[in-house]
């Protein structure tokens, strides 16, 4: 196997001989791999600043961003998110919010994620950019790339690119249900089937446009989120949500394996975010946190009332001294330190945390033009 670097060196050497042709291929080999980002508040860099919604689905006010962004960017954290650290590891600049009108080119990629979004259009409908619309925006951008770069360069960009996902949590947090099941009138199996079905449609939509490399995180243990506990009379974790989330994550694993066999060249990195969060909640000090179950910013039990910033109806809120000490920044979202830990594992992790590939392999591996679906690593 000839490595990527060796090929680049070989091209450089032969370029001394045949200048013009090689300048083109040299440029090609030096090119960056673009990053496209889809999903929910774990990834949203501020798209919701530009839609008609309510502060429940926004985070562009103090103290959000306090550890890194001034003014606040709209990220649901004290600082950067997983895609920000992934971009850094991939030697890319911060990937811009697609809806921010200041951004136009997107040559390093685009971030379509929207806080509160799920795979189902019904999840927080009217307040978020749902996943189908995110895919539509990606299609619009594909047309723009074809116009600006020409077909062959646009196709190369899209097939080399990595597509990051975080999606599903809001589909299970938003239904009201009744006291039999939160998903009523659906059974757990039916509802999870719809979520995975819609997620799969989006993977297929990306594949149709030439995308090949998907990076996705499992749905976190949201049944134990401070916001969920604060909403329950006894402040316990919701076992039902826990069971549904495990079902979702199992179905996701299965579906990704199927897609690998069905879709030409499809490959993925699935990072077990659920387990990583459980470990930190249970044993915070092992990972550098002082508190694992309560939010730095919020009010009520576990800081679980979603009042961080005082703009969501409840004006009073508590803010801890040092956001790095609390695994949760607000009642629904991890802090910046945690996001960096996750990104590092997603990037570098072995197969016990990220499988079958990690992100580094997806970025470094060259997508072969054949149908083998294998990476030249
Ligand atoms: C909810 O619980 C109450 C009392 O336990 C019961 O009377 C009622 O029928 C239940 N509602 C549903 C929709 O299951
Ligand atoms: C997608 O979700 C809708 C509900 O929004 C559902 O009716 C449909 O069956 C789902 N699609 C798949 C392929 O599961
Ligand atoms: C916050 O805590 C972290 C880790 O304990 C520490 O490195 C940092 O200096 C603290 N920051 C402030 C402003 O105290």
């Amino acid at each position: 196997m000839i490595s990527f670097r060796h090929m680049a060196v070989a091209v450089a050497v032969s370029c001394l001989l045949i200048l013009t042709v090689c300048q083109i291929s040299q440029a090609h080999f030096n090119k960056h791999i673009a990053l496209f980002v889809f999903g929910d508040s774990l990834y949203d860099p501020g798209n919701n600043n530009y839609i008609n919604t309510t502060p429940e689905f926004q985070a562009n006010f103090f103290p959000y961003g306090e550890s890194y962004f001034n003014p606040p960017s709209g990220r649901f954290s004290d600082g950067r998110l997983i895609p920000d650290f992934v971009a850094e590891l991939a030697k890319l600049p911060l990937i811009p919010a697609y809806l921010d009108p200041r951004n136009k080119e997107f040559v390093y990629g685009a971030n379509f994620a929207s806080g509160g979004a799920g795979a189902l259009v019904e999840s927080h409908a009217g307040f978020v950019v749902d996943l189908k619309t995110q895919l539509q925006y990606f299609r619009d951008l594909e047309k723009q790339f074809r116009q600006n770069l020409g077909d062959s360069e646009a196709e190369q960009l899209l097939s080399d690119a990595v597509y990051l996902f975080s999606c599903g949590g809001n589909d299970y947090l938003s239904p009201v249900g009744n006291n039999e099941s939160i998903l009523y009138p659906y059974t757990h199996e039916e509802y999870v089937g719809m979520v995975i079905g819609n997620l799969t449609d989006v993977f297929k939509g990306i594949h149709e446009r030439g995308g090949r490399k998907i990076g996705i995180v499992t749905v976190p243990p949201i049944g134990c989120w401070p916001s969920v506990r604060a909403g329950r009379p006894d402040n316990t974790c919701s076992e039902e949500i826990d069971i549904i989330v495990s079902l979702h994550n199992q179905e996701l694993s299965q579906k990704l394996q199927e897609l690998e066999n069905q879709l030409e060249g499809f490959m993925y990195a699935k990072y077990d975010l659920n387990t990583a969060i459980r470990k930190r909640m249970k044993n915070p000090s092992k990972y550098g946190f002082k508190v694992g179950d309560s939010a730095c910013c919020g009010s009520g039990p576990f800081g679980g009332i979603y009042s961080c910033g005082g703009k969501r109806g409840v004006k009073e809120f508590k803010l801890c001294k040092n956001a790095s000490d609390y695994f949760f920044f607000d009642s629904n979202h991890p802090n910046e330190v945690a996001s960096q830990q996750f990104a590092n594992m997603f990037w570098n992790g072995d197969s016990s945390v990220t499988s079958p590939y990690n992100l580094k392999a997806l970025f470094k591996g060259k997508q072969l033009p054949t149908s083998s679906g294998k990476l030249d690593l």
Side-chain angles (χ1 to χ4, degrees), residues 314-333:
V314 181
K315 289 217 168 58
E316 302 289 309
F317 68 97
K318 282 192 200 142
L319 177 62
C320 71
K321 262 218 187 77
N322 188 339
S324 316
D325 291 341
Y326 284 68
F327 172 77
F328 285 101
F329 179 63
D330 73 11
S331 44
N332 288 310
H333 304 101

Side-chain angles (χ1 to χ4, degrees), residues 171-249:
D171 296 302
Y172 305 116
L173 286 173
S174 60
V176 207
N178 64 10
N179 48 12
E180 273 172 48
S181 163
I182 53 161
L183 302 179
Y184 185 84
Y186 299 101
T187 65
H188 292 176
E189 287 73 15
E190 286 167 350
Y191 192 91
V192 169
M194 292 196 305
V195 172
I196 297 289
N198 279 266
L199 201 47
T200 304
D201 286 346
V202 173
F203 295 154
K204 287 181 176 164
I206 285 172
H207 186 265
E208 264 167 38
R209 305 282 145 167
R212 293 294 180 263
K213 307 169 182 174
I214 303 268
I216 187 165
V217 295
T218 56
V219 170
I222 50 179
C224 258
W225 255 204
S227 63
V228 169
R229 297 183 70 174
R232 291 163 60 81
D234 46 3
N235 293 152
T236 54
C237 302
S238 163
E239 270 179 50
E240 187 184 3
I241 295 184
D242 215 33
I243 289 168
I244 296 165
V245 167
S246 324
L247 182 61
H248 172 100
N249 288 335

